[in-house]
Amino acid sequence: LLAQVSFGSSEGDAVTVSHTVEVAQLRSEIAQLRRLLDAPATPSDASGRRLLVDPGNSKSITLPSGALTKLSVDTAMQRMNEHWQKQYTDLKGAMDSLWLILCGAMVMFMHPGFAMLETGCSRAKNAQSVLFKNLLNVTVASLAWYIFGFAFAYGGPFEDDGKHLKNGFIGAKGFAGHAFLKEDDTGNMAIDKGTSTMLTWFFQWAFCSAAATIVSGAVAQRVKSPAYAIYAFIMAGFIYPVVVAWTWNNGWIMKVADVGYMDFAGSGVVHLTGGIGALTGAFILGPRINWHPDDPAFHPHNVPLVVLGTFILWFGWYGFNCGSTLGLHDAGTGALAAQVAMNTTVAASTGGIVVFAIRYAKLRKYDVPAMCNGILGGLVSITAG
């Protein structure tokens, strides 16, 4: 219904209607339109206009181009729903990717913390050697993880359920980034929609390099750099990946007694693996030459570096633990990440205070390096979940 309405003002507001429509005719047209909206649509005619069957007189009626029917409205709503569903999926993937990249970068920032902590605890003459081994650890471990480690840890093949590792021991696909990209319809290599394999590679690389660097502090000042480089490659390329394949990649441990395996952020997978490696290395090398616990020459030479390293590690641990939610795309994962952050903070604080109190009761003096170790112990303990 079209009506031209003009408004003017001459002694008040006057309304003039150019074209009027009889009330009876208007009611008739409205009733007809109602019947047409409820009628099923038939194919369009040659001009592209819709043909409808009027239930009132059982004859075909041609609607003007662009007229709406119930079917067309439903189709439009369905297409709109599909569009917004795709937008939501893309946004969710982007949020998860941003979250894991940020948390992975925070975990990587723990390496400066390890470097400062270990250097401060060492003798001044060995500072450069300790720093060099921390650099060796990150660079060598990164290459080992890329070439072998990720494939051993997270590669297939998997059983028919697509979840459990088929051989239960080690992965065998994805060496040196193979199949990280897939060929699209145009023949170009494309990245997977949502969270990509490369995102998983990066986040898990941060964990792998952290596990490898745990050993560097235990063997500081008494291992040669070439030997440490060999260790770092083996640790990141084989030892740690095998442990991951058994646990987080649903290997044989997941089937033991049908209870599975739970390690939220890696107390066992990362820190126990690195700790056993550190204990083994320290046992083989033995104590430093002429070492004695009461000799000031072997005490930490720079306590400020120890404290700085501890705070950096504490900061990076939020990426370690909160990032283990593996996503941040809705209120549920956001609440979980917040809970993890709170628990991490309480655990670190409790560990530091407890160790400080025990050392003070025993020595009657403030032992700052011991308190730092207590903080780190609390962080490791809460990482399990």
Side-chain angles (χ1 to χ4, degrees), residues 1-3 17 19-30:
L1 175 65
L2 296 177
V17 179
H19 301 280
T20 60
V21 181
E22 295 292 338
V23 175
Q25 181 183 356
L26 179 60
R27 288 177 177 175
S28 175
E29 291 181 0
I30 291 175

Side-chain angles (χ1 to χ4, degrees), residues 274-285:
I276 292 175
L279 180 63
T280 303
F283 177 79
I284 294 173
L285 293 172

Side-chain angles (χ1 to χ4, degrees), residues 18-282:
S18 303
H19 301 280
T20 60
V21 181
E22 295 292 338
V23 175
Q25 181 183 356
L26 179 60
R27 288 177 177 175
S28 175
E29 291 181 0
I30 291 175
Q32 184 183 25
L33 286 174
R34 284 177 177 172
R35 290 196 301 272
L36 294 176
L37 286 175
D38 294 333
T42 60
S44 303
D45 64 4
S47 64
R49 294 177 294 180
R50 293 184 178 276
L51 298 176
L52 296 179
V53 177
D54 184 359
N57 52 26
S58 300
K59 68 178 182 178
S60 297
I61 300 175
T62 302
L63 288 180
S65 178
L68 294 178
T69 66
K70 183 178 180 181
L71 178 61
S72 64
V73 171
D74 291 344
T75 302
M77 292 297 293
Q78 181 179 358
R79 290 176 179 175
M80 184 178 295
N81 180 66
E82 292 173 353
H83 170 74
W84 286 113
Q85 187 66 35
K86 181 180 180 300
Q87 292 292 320
Y88 171 73
T89 301
D90 290 345
L91 179 61
K92 183 170 68 172
M95 290 293 294
D96 289 345
S97 297
L98 177 62
W99 175 244
L100 291 183
I101 290 172
L102 174 62
C103 291
M106 291 176 65
V107 176
M108 194 278 168
F109 190 63
M110 294 173 72
H111 289 287
F114 281 116
M116 296 300 99
L117 175 66
E118 294 168 16
T119 302
C121 289
S122 302
R123 303 172 73 177
K125 70 183 185 70
N126 294 321
Q128 184 170 329
S129 173
V130 172
L131 293 171
F132 177 62
K133 289 181 178 65
N134 276 270
L135 291 172
L136 265 181
N137 182 86
V138 178
T139 52
V140 172
S142 297
L143 294 178
W145 180 250
Y146 176 74
I147 298 172
F148 298 111
F150 183 81
F152 287 153
Y154 290 101
F158 296 94
E159 294 180 357
D160 294 338
D161 59 6
K163 179 180 179 181
H164 293 91
L165 195 59
K166 182 169 287 188
N167 60 33
F169 181 79
I170 197 170
K173 292 183 178 180
F175 295 100
H178 178 70
F180 279 19
L181 297 175
K182 293 181 173 58
E183 186 174 331
D184 60 16
D185 297 335
T186 63
N188 296 320
M189 303 307 292
I191 300 175
D192 291 340
K193 296 294 181 65
T195 54
S196 67
T197 305
M198 289 169 287
L199 177 67
T200 304
W201 183 96
F202 173 76
F203 185 69
Q204 298 300 334
W205 157 81
F207 279 53
C208 174
S209 59
T213 203
I214 291 172
V215 179
S216 63
V219 300
Q221 309 179 88
R222 56 194 188 280
V223 64
K224 293 184 177 180
S225 297
Y228 186 82
I230 294 172
Y231 146 77
F233 193 91
I234 296 174
M235 182 68 162
F238 183 75
I239 298 174
Y240 175 80
V242 169
V243 175
V244 171
W246 292 356
T247 53
W248 283 341
N249 201 32
N250 298 315
W252 65 271
I253 288 181
M254 295 296 293
K255 296 183 178 180
V256 175
D258 294 328
V259 296
Y261 178 83
M262 173 63 187
D263 187 354
F264 182 74
S267 276
V269 175
V270 178
H271 298 287
L272 181 59
T273 301
I276 292 175
L279 180 63
T280 303

